[in-house]
Amino acid sequence: MAEGLRPFRLRGRGGPQKFGVAAGSLRGLLRKGCRLLQVPLAGSRLCLYEDGTELTESYFRALPPQTELVLLGPGESWRGCASDIEQFLAAFSSQRDAVVEAARKLLSDERAPRRQKLLADLIHNLSENILAEERGDDEKWFEARDAYKGIIDLMSDKLKSVKYNGCYFDRREEEAARLCTTEGWFSCQGPFDRDDCPCKHSINPYSNRESRILFSTWNLDHIIEKKRAVVPELAEAVKTRDGREVNWEYFYQLLFTVHNLKLVHIACHKKTNHNLSCDKTKIYRKGKQNHKIS
């Protein structure tokens, strides 16, 4: 009885593109791979992408489905992930853009978390002029850095002027107290927007001691996320401002004030991507204004 087909991910020695190939034997997989990648069958062999171990029929039968393999033609060798790095380094000095593109192709089909991070870091580093030490080496990078630092300094001065929002949480508590006084309760605003959550959590934290203890299980959550949305948007605004003035006070409001916060019951606080972004109409100022710190 013929063995059942099992799927594998196959690539050649010279490129990052991967193909799905199913076979029930090592010989069958080798024949299919050679036809697909147009490599002569005579002298060809298969090995593990991870460490370059050459396959035998018995070893092949023990492999799990979707194992990543490399097809080697006559005279070719593969030493695992290090071979990819060697190719990158060989092309780096004269073909940096090509290396970045090859790394992006690898990353698009990569599943192992550690290799994903290595490839992402490599793409980031090659995309930047990391050897630039003087302004003349990379004028645009230094201009963006200076602009970003100027915005950070303005935010820092603003925070100092309000004593680093020492009453930040007290003001939120005062708001809760005001609502409790008028309505007798405080409702959960939900995980992703300002509407009441489906669970309809509500509490009057000042009604008794038990309620005050329970209120400690509620969280303050940013509506537009700081790390996933606000900070990246600010950095992008500085890089692409093209003569426009970044509205730093809008970003300050999102990062350091209660305007971008909501109260969420711990059971509804889903720490996943909120898929909310900054208001594109507020990223840049419409006209020149003085930066008076109040």
Side-chain angles (χ1 to χ4, degrees):
M1 180 183 294
E3 295 186 31
L5 300 180
R6 289 183 298 144
F8 296 91
R9 291 185 293 154
L10 185 64
R11 55 170 285 184
R13 171 67 175 79
Q17 190 173 7
K18 302 172 188 177
F19 302 89
V21 181
S25 66
L26 176 61
R27 185 68 179 173
L29 182 60
L30 189 60
R31 283 199 301 267
K32 289 184 178 181
C34 287
R35 284 200 303 268
L36 180 65
L37 299 176
Q38 298 182 347
V39 175
L41 182 61
S44 295
R45 59 203 188 282
L46 290 165
C47 68
L48 294 179
Y49 170 83
E50 187 74 34
D51 57 13
T53 301
E54 190 169 330
L55 300 189
T56 62
E57 191 66 51
S58 59
Y59 192 10
F60 169 82
R61 288 195 293 269
L63 291 177
Q66 300 297 344
T67 298
E68 188 172 341
L69 305 173
V70 177
L71 174 62
L72 299 176
E76 292 183 333
S77 62
W78 184 259
R79 298 192 299 111
C81 300
S83 295
D84 267 340
I85 297 174
E86 287 175 352
Q87 291 182 34
F88 290 153
L89 293 177
F92 173 72
S93 59
S94 60
Q95 302 180 29
R96 188 175 65 180
D97 292 342
V99 174
V100 171
E101 183 61 28
R104 286 197 175 109
K105 289 181 179 178
L106 282 171
L107 183 60
S108 66
D109 195 37
E110 187 53 69
R111 297 183 180 181
R114 289 185 178 180
R115 294 210 297 268
Q116 284 180 344
K117 186 178 188 309
L118 285 172
L119 288 168
D121 288 346
L122 178 64
I123 292 170
H124 173 74
N125 288 332
L126 292 185
S127 299
E128 298 288 338
N129 188 359
I130 58 176
L131 298 178
E133 294 183 357
E134 298 181 359
R135 195 177 193 93
D137 296 330
D138 195 336
E139 185 72 25
K140 289 184 178 180
W141 185 90
F142 279 93
E143 285 181 0
R145 185 199 63 173
D146 292 346
Y148 195 87
K149 184 178 182 301
I151 290 174
I152 298 303
D153 289 342
L154 287 168
M155 289 186 177
S156 177
D157 290 342
K158 179 76 172 180
L159 281 169
K160 290 176 183 177
S161 71
V162 295
K163 298 181 180 179
Y164 296 94
N165 286 328
C167 58
Y168 184 86
F169 294 103
D170 292 339
R171 279 160 49 206
R172 176 54 96 175
E173 187 172 322
E174 288 172 4
E175 183 181 343
R178 179 181 59 79
L179 285 175
C180 291
T181 300
T182 58
E183 302 182 38
W185 56 274
F186 205 109
S187 64
C188 176
Q189 293 179 318
F192 301 125
D193 53 44
R194 289 185 175 274
D195 298 328
D196 289 348
C197 69
C199 298
K200 301 295 182 184
H201 294 292
S202 62
I203 192 171
N204 182 345
Y206 298 96
S207 60
N208 53 55
R209 182 174 180 274
E210 288 72 20
S211 291
R212 287 195 293 276
I213 294 173
L214 282 176
F215 194 54
S216 66
T217 64
W218 289 51
N219 297 155
L220 278 170
D221 187 26
H222 280 87
I223 301 168
I224 303 175
E225 297 168 284
K226 292 191 301 183
K227 292 183 179 179
R228 290 192 180 106
V230 181
V231 173
E233 188 71 62
L234 173 58
E236 184 64 19
V238 172
K239 288 174 62 178
T240 60
R241 67 192 188 282
D242 192 24
R244 293 172 292 181
E245 185 180 0
V246 177
N247 186 6
W248 66 269
E249 289 179 319
Y250 169 63
F251 289 100
Y252 176 91
Q253 185 182 65
L254 295 179
L255 291 170
F256 302 115
T257 74
V258 297
H259 291 86
N260 191 35
L261 287 174
K262 61 185 175 184
L263 275 173
V264 184
H265 189 274
I266 191 171
C268 294
H269 192 180
K270 299 177 182 178
K271 297 184 179 180
T272 56
N273 195 333
H274 293 187
N275 293 319
L276 296 175
S277 58
C278 300
D279 186 342
K280 299 295 185 182
T281 66
K282 297 181 179 179
I283 290 177
Y284 298 103
R285 293 181 186 274
K286 294 183 179 179
K288 296 281 186 179
Q289 297 183 25
N290 294 328
H291 301 305
K292 183 179 179 180
I293 304 301
S294 58

